[in-house]
Amino acid sequence: MRFAILEDDPAQMEVLTGWLREAGHDVHGFGLARELMRVASRESFDLFLVDWVLPDLTGEQVLRWLRVERGNDTPAIFITSRDAEEDIANAFSAGADDYLVKPFDLDELEARLRALARRVAPGQDAAP
């Protein structure tokens, strides 16, 4: 699968990209929202992993842009340190398919990726 990760923390980006690449996925990391938006306007991905707090825009703004402006229904999982109920509700209202609070366990992310793959494309295995 082709993953787009929007994460401004280099250590977090390294963990996610390394783990997904080891599992055989094509992973593209972006530290700025506008960078991801530029690429996503001309290329497609199978899944977005989106942080909320970014230097230029919020992950919520990016997801709303994907859903509303681009009509893109590619599955998206928020991975963020924001854990308030209002934030979680807003992420789902913006079009998130799942929400994971940092710090998280890679086994939990794997389970969520598998569950999402079952909903989106029954019979396919998206996770390592």
Side-chain angles (χ1 to χ4, degrees), residues 38-58:
R38 182 179 48 78
V39 173
S41 68
R42 66 178 196 275
E43 296 182 30
S44 65
F45 296 94
D46 298 313
L47 180 77
F48 292 99
L49 298 174
V50 181
D51 188 10
W52 191 300
V53 180
L54 301 158
D56 53 349
L57 298 171
T58 67

Side-chain angles (χ1 to χ4, degrees), residues 14-33:
E14 185 178 336
V15 168
L16 284 170
T17 58
W19 179 71
L20 290 167
R21 284 182 179 143
E22 281 182 27
H25 299 289
D26 181 17
V27 182
H28 301 264
F30 302 92
L32 295 172

